[in-house]
Amino acid sequence: MPGTPRIAVVTYDPRGEEHKDRDLPVLVEALREAGADAVAVPWDDPDTDWAAFDLALLRSTWDYSWRAGEFTAWAERCGAATRLANPLGVVKWNADKRYLGQLVDAGVPVVPTRYFAPGDPLDLPADREFVVKPASGAGARYAARYPAGERDAALRQAERMHAEGFTVMVQPYLSSIDTQGERALQFFGGRLLHAGVKGAVLAPGTPYDADKVAHPDLRPWEPTAAELAVAEKALAAVPGDAELLYARVDLVTGPDGEPCVMELELIEPNLFLHLHPDSVPKVVEAVLAAAG
């Protein structure tokens, strides 16, 4: 139909297993009901003509972090063929968690983070519980929590990550996560969409390469004024004049009792629409506007 926007809702290929994005069919159907020609497409489908779409909406490309080079090359091709949301520059910037250092430079409160590239000697805390994880990762993959002074297992993890080309991140484990959880503030179309809170993902003693529940005990949350202010400051610090169609800001309570940024999710954040069905029309409205 002339004038009907064609929208690719970009996901991953489950390769015969059950798809983990429970919001994907809901969003595709809602877009179709609103008059769009919407279809879910794996990002690595070699037969897709991305130029045939008015918008490629990144949603659940949840295997990208293990194929970072391949994914970036695809994003460059897709972004040259059609409108990519979020934009290519945002995708490249957000794919490497060293962006946290840039947020610090912009005055955003962030969980203290140190980075160790392959070949760098690892400096681990001796006086506090800490976390080791990759600078390119998602869903708590290759992330583990260690007690103070535990070096051997952490070094083995780092050695494997370095051998696979990952930069290692080391952060203090904030005990507030065990009692207050981690808050996720979702933005869409430049406005707060909804928020949620989840329990601790990293249990003591869980191996870094074990499968983990990425969003345990997830439930709706009403963000505080302080949380909203930190989230908005973090989004304002994203470099360039990028237009963010969507964003998720993950916050925890710092040692000072104030919220600080754990991560800024600008590529493929889970929107948790199943918890917030009233948000679906707002998402559809913003996506249709982005498709022009």
Side-chain angles (χ1 to χ4, degrees):
M1 180 183 299
T4 299
R6 295 206 68 209
I7 300 172
V9 184
V10 189
T11 184
Y12 73 102
D13 184 352
R15 307 192 188 284
E17 297 184 0
E18 183 179 1
H19 204 291
K20 295 181 180 179
D21 185 1
R22 59 192 297 183
D23 292 335
L24 186 67
V26 174
L27 181 56
V28 170
E29 182 60 28
L31 286 168
R32 289 174 178 171
E33 290 179 354
D37 180 5
V39 60
V41 187
W43 68 269
D44 56 354
D45 179 5
D47 298 324
T48 296
D49 177 12
W50 298 102
F53 294 99
D54 300 299
L55 175 70
L57 174 67
L58 286 164
R59 282 307 329 122
S60 47
T61 56
W62 291 340
D63 57 349
Y64 89 91
S65 63
W66 301 113
R67 305 162 63 187
E70 185 182 350
F71 180 77
T72 299
W74 166 81
E76 290 175 344
R77 294 193 304 271
C78 185
T82 188
R83 181 174 184 186
L84 181 67
N86 280 323
L88 176 63
V90 171
V91 171
K92 288 183 172 181
W93 180 79
N94 194 232
D96 188 329
K97 290 185 176 61
R98 281 176 285 196
Y99 69 76
L100 290 172
Q102 296 180 42
L103 295 184
V104 171
D105 293 340
V108 179
V110 172
V111 175
T113 307
R114 292 179 296 161
Y115 303 91
F116 302 92
D120 291 343
L122 204 65
D123 182 18
L124 298 173
D127 59 347
R128 68 189 67 183
E129 199 171 14
F130 63 94
V131 171
V132 175
K133 59 186 178 181
S136 175
R141 298 177 194 145
Y142 273 25
R145 170 181 172 182
Y146 294 99
E150 173 57 70
R151 291 186 55 83
D152 293 345
L155 287 173
R156 287 194 297 270
Q157 175 184 348
E159 288 170 358
R160 177 173 175 182
M161 290 164 62
H162 279 170
E164 295 185 17
F166 290 107
T167 291
V168 171
M169 295 171 57
V170 177
Q171 298 174 318
Y173 186 80
L174 301 181
S175 59
S176 64
I177 297 174
D178 294 330
T179 56
Q180 301 178 37
E182 182 178 333
R183 282 82 74 196
L185 276 62
Q186 308 269 8
F187 294 79
F188 221 102
R191 298 174 295 177
L192 178 69
L193 183 66
H194 55 241
V197 60
K198 67 181 181 181
V201 175
L202 301 179
T206 301
Y208 69 92
D209 52 358
D211 289 335
K212 306 175 186 73
V213 178
H215 308 290
D217 303 321
L218 183 69
R219 60 190 187 278
W221 176 257
E222 186 65 34
T224 66
E227 290 169 349
L228 188 57
V230 169
E232 291 176 340
K233 188 171 186 177
L235 294 178
V238 177
D241 298 322
E243 295 181 8
L244 298 176
L245 177 58
Y246 55 85
R248 195 181 87 206
V249 186
D250 293 341
L251 303 173
V252 294
T253 301
D256 60 356
E258 297 298 321
C260 60
V261 174
M262 174 73 78
E263 290 189 18
L264 190 57
E265 299 269 6
L266 306 179
I267 300 176
E268 34 61 270
N270 193 321
L271 298 178
F272 310 132
L273 293 177
H274 60 283
L275 273 187
H276 306 271
D278 291 344
S279 293
V280 174
K282 300 173 186 177
V283 171
V284 168
E285 179 184 6
V287 172
L288 291 178

